[in-house]
Amino acid sequence: MGRTAGVLIACAAVVVSGSAPVQAVPKKISWKKCADDRTAQCGYVSVPIDWAKPKRGRIKIAVARVKAKNPKKRLGVLFVNPGGPGGSGIDFALDRAGLSKQLRERYDIVGFDPRGVGRSHAVKCGKVGKAPRRYPWSQKDFGKLKAFQGKLYKACRKKTGLLYDFLGAGNVARDMDAIRAALGAQKVTYYGRSYGTWLGQRYAEIFPKRVRRVVFDGTMNHQVKGALAFSVDEAKGLEAGFLQFAKWCPTSKHCGLRGKDPVKVLDALMLRAEKGRLHEIGEPKVRLHPPELAQMVRNSMYEPIAWAQLSEELKELSRQKSRVVKGNATNVDPDGMFAGILCSDWSFPIKNYKELADVRAKTRRAAPHVRLNPLGWEAITACIGRPRGAWDPQRPYRIKGVPPILVAGNLGDPATVYPWAVGAQQGIPRASLLTYEGAGHGAYGLSGCARKTIDTYLLNGTQPAPGARCPARMPDFSQTSVVERPRDSVRRF
C-alpha cells in the first residue's frame, strides 16, 4: 500500500437506546497513492479491537479509494466487498470491483480489508502440526479433528492476539462506519458479493440511517440454522450448477464429453472413487476420493467459462485404467482465518461422529450426483472443537428503516445458493429479488441483464419489478480466452 498515516478516532462508541451506536467523528484519512495503483488512494483508519471496550487496544484498517471519474455528477461513496471470508476489499476496489463505466463515473469506489484480513492486521496462526482427516469415518477420526481444531484456535489466538476473538461482522460493520465518518460521508451505498453480503446485512442492521442503497449479489442467508440445513443447501446449489453444465455439454463443440451423458459420467466416476479405483490427474499414486471429485466440479462452477476444462478433466478421469489406488493426498491444513471469521457469526453444533455422519448421508441423498459441497462441509466442520462459540449465531434479520435493498441470486450458484437469496429477500422488509437463471457465483459479472438491472438501481434507486429474472447466459468462448484454473484451487463464498 505504500506509506500511509493512521487516522485516530478520538473516543469510544456509545450505544444509545433505540438508535445506532454513536461513534466519534475521526480525522480525515491521510491519503497516499497506492503502491499497486498510482491512480488510486490508500490510507488507514484506526479502530478499537473491542468496540465495547475501546481501551483494550486498537488496530489499523486499510482503505483504498478510486475517486469518481465525473466529480460534477458524483453520487457519493460506494463501499465494495468481494466476500471470502477473507477476501481483500483493497484489491477489489483497485480492480474497480468489476463495476461498469457508469458507476465508476458517478461513485467513489471504496474498499477495505476487513479486520484480520490482508493489510488490516491479518490473522496469523503459525505451525499447528499435521492436520487430521477432513472427512472423518469414525468417532476416533472425529475426536482427532475436534482436538486439532481446538489446537488451531489456541495457536491463532496466541499469534494474532485479542483481535482473533473480535472478527465478527458486527465489529466489521462498526469499522465500516468509522471509515464512512473519516470520509466525511453522511450516507453510503454498498455493493457486497458473496460473504460480503453478510457484512452489508450487518451494517444495515446497526446503521440503517446511514444507508443510501444496497446490493447483495450472491447472497448469504444468516437465518439458515444448523449443520444439516446448511450442508444440504450448499450441496443442492452445486448440483444445480452441475446440471446446467450437463445440459450445456451436448450443445457445445467446446465440451470434451460430446456424445456422453455428463451426469452418468460423473456418477460412474463417483462409484470408482468410492471404491478407491480413481487417482488424481497427473498423480497415479494418489487416490481421488468422492469429495475431491466434488471439489473439482465445484471449482469449475464459479464461472461457466471453466466448463470446457471440467469436461476435459472428467474425460481424462474416465480414461484411467481401473485399479486400486492406496496413496492418499496430504491433508490441507484448516484455515485459521476462515474459521476465525466464520465461527464468530455462525454456529453448527455437532456433538459426535454419529451426528456428522447423519449430515453427510442426508446431504448425499439431497444431491445424489455431486454428493456434497466441499465448501459447505468445510464451513460446518470449521468450528468443531473451538473453545468459544459464535457471538452472533443465525437468527432472523433485524434490518428496519433502510431504503429498499436489492438482493440478487443465481439458480446455479455453487457457493451462496439461490434459496439463500430468496430467504434473505423475504426476511428483509421491502427488499426486491433479482433472479439470474444461470450458473456461476454472483450475477453482476455474468449477465448483461443483471448488470443493467443493478446499475439502474445504484444510479437512480429503481428496483426491479417483482419476479424479475435474467435468462441464463452460456459461456462464449469466442469472446473470452479459456484460462486454465489450477486443479487444487480453493474458492469460497
Side-chain angles (χ1 to χ4, degrees):
M1 284 186 61
R3 297 179 63 187
T4 56
V7 179
L8 299 180
I9 299 177
C11 53
V14 179
V15 178
V16 179
S17 177
S19 64
V22 176
Q23 299 180 189
V25 178
K27 296 179 181 178
K28 292 182 179 180
I29 299 172
S30 179
W31 295 110
K32 303 290 183 180
K33 290 183 179 180
C34 299
D36 298 333
D37 184 343
R38 307 296 288 179
T39 67
Q41 300 172 308
C42 287
Y44 288 95
V45 171
S46 175
V47 300
I49 292 174
D50 179 357
W51 276 95
K53 299 178 180 179
K55 293 183 179 180
R56 300 183 74 183
R58 307 182 74 85
I59 58 168
K60 291 180 180 180
I61 302 297
V63 186
R65 177 174 68 177
V66 180
K67 300 190 77 171
K69 293 292 185 181
N70 191 338
K72 292 182 179 180
K73 294 186 177 181
R74 178 180 175 274
L75 292 173
V77 171
L78 175 59
F79 277 116
V80 296
N81 185 275
S88 170
I90 297 287
D91 295 342
F92 200 46
L94 297 186
D95 289 339
R96 279 52 174 178
L99 298 173
S100 68
K101 179 182 178 181
Q102 291 88 341
L103 293 180
R104 288 183 277 117
E105 286 183 342
R106 306 290 299 279
Y107 281 103
D108 291 347
I109 309 300
V110 175
F112 64 100
D113 284 358
R115 52 174 57 211
V117 174
R119 304 159 181 85
S120 297
H121 200 94
V123 167
K124 296 180 181 179
C125 300
K127 295 182 179 180
V128 189
K130 186 178 179 181
R133 286 183 177 180
R134 182 175 288 179
Y135 299 89
W137 288 106
S138 66
Q139 180 60 38
K140 183 178 180 180
D141 287 345
F142 181 88
K144 289 180 179 179
L145 177 63
K146 182 177 180 180
F148 183 84
Q149 298 283 47
K151 185 178 179 181
L152 177 67
Y153 167 82
K154 292 178 181 178
C156 298
R157 180 63 171 76
K158 181 178 180 180
K159 285 279 187 179
T160 307
L162 177 67
L163 176 67
Y164 196 63
D165 288 338
F166 293 90
L167 299 176
N171 289 296
V172 176
R174 288 170 171 83
D175 297 344
M176 194 188 312
D177 201 62
I179 297 169
R180 174 205 59 78
L183 291 168
Q186 294 299 312
K187 294 186 177 184
V188 295
T189 298
Y190 185 81
Y191 171 78
R193 192 174 69 193
S194 196
Y195 201 83
T197 63
W198 166 230
L199 301 182
Q201 291 163 18
R202 199 69 182 95
Y203 186 82
E205 284 187 332
I206 302 174
F207 302 103
K209 300 302 180 183
R210 295 167 194 170
V211 170
R212 187 168 179 268
R213 292 167 192 158
V214 178
V215 173
F216 300 141
D217 187 10
T219 309
M220 296 291 291
N221 183 0
H222 197 242
Q223 301 169 114
V224 179
K225 290 187 177 181
L228 177 60
F230 195 94
S231 179
V232 166
D233 279 354
E234 281 282 282
K236 284 183 175 180
L238 180 57
E239 183 107 330
F242 176 75
L243 292 177
Q244 288 206 20
F245 160 81
K247 186 177 180 180
W248 161 85
C249 215
T251 70
S252 175
K253 66 180 182 180
H254 297 282
C255 179
L257 295 174
R258 290 187 308 280
K260 296 181 179 180
D261 182 343
V263 174
K264 291 182 179 179
V265 170
L266 182 62
D267 287 347
L269 290 174
M270 282 290 184
L271 288 175
R272 286 182 58 184
E274 193 171 51
K275 296 176 181 179
R277 292 185 171 274
L278 207 62
H279 65 75
E280 292 274 6
I281 295 175
E283 299 184 69
K285 294 183 179 180
V286 179
R287 177 178 172 180
L288 182 68
H289 295 80
E292 291 149 6
L293 181 55
Q295 179 79 326
M296 183 182 295
V297 172
R298 187 179 73 83
N299 283 344
S300 299
M301 291 299 121
Y302 280 68
E303 298 99 8
I305 200 69
W307 287 356
Q309 184 182 351
L310 175 63
S311 71
E312 294 296 334
E313 290 172 341
L314 296 179
K315 181 172 72 173
E316 188 172 346
L317 290 173
S318 297
R319 289 177 174 176
Q320 287 184 12
K321 292 182 179 180
S322 182
R323 61 179 180 82
V324 175
V325 184
K326 295 183 179 180
N328 290 312
T330 303
N331 280 345
V332 178
D333 287 349
D335 186 338
M337 179 177 66
F338 177 83
I341 298 172
L342 186 81
C343 300
S344 294
D345 292 327
W346 300 80
S347 177
F348 304 110
I350 300 173
K351 298 178 182 178
N352 51 44
Y353 171 70
K354 182 179 179 181
E355 289 186 4
L356 188 61
D358 183 63
V359 169
R360 184 169 182 175
K362 290 178 179 176
T363 299
R364 176 173 175 173
R365 289 197 291 271
H369 304 300
V370 299
R371 300 191 174 199
L372 58 71
N373 188 326
L375 175 59
W377 186 266
E378 182 181 7
I380 66 170
T381 58
C383 309
I384 293 173
R386 292 176 68 85
R388 188 180 67 78
W391 282 21
D392 187 15
Q394 299 94 306
R395 53 172 172 73
Y397 288 117
R398 303 165 184 158
I399 299 175
K400 296 180 180 180
V402 299
I405 288 172
L406 174 55
V407 177
N410 299 7
L411 293 183
D413 195 315
T416 48
V417 302
Y418 181 69
W420 292 356
V422 175
Q425 183 264 333
Q426 292 175 346
I428 301 173
R430 298 196 298 156
S432 59
L433 175 65
L434 174 63
T435 299
Y436 172 53
E437 296 176 337
H441 186 41
Y444 189 86
L446 297 173
S447 163
C449 167
R451 177 182 291 253
K452 181 178 179 180
T453 303
I454 292 171
D455 279 356
T456 299
Y457 167 79
L458 289 175
L459 290 170
N460 59 37
T462 302
Q463 286 188 294
R469 302 176 80 86
C470 288
R473 180 177 178 271
M474 293 299 103
D476 185 354
F477 295 96
S478 66
Q479 299 296 321
T480 307
S481 59
V482 180
V483 179
E484 294 247 332
R485 58 164 176 77
R487 290 193 177 101
D488 60 351
S489 63
V490 176
R491 307 187 70 173
R492 290 182 170 136
F493 299 113

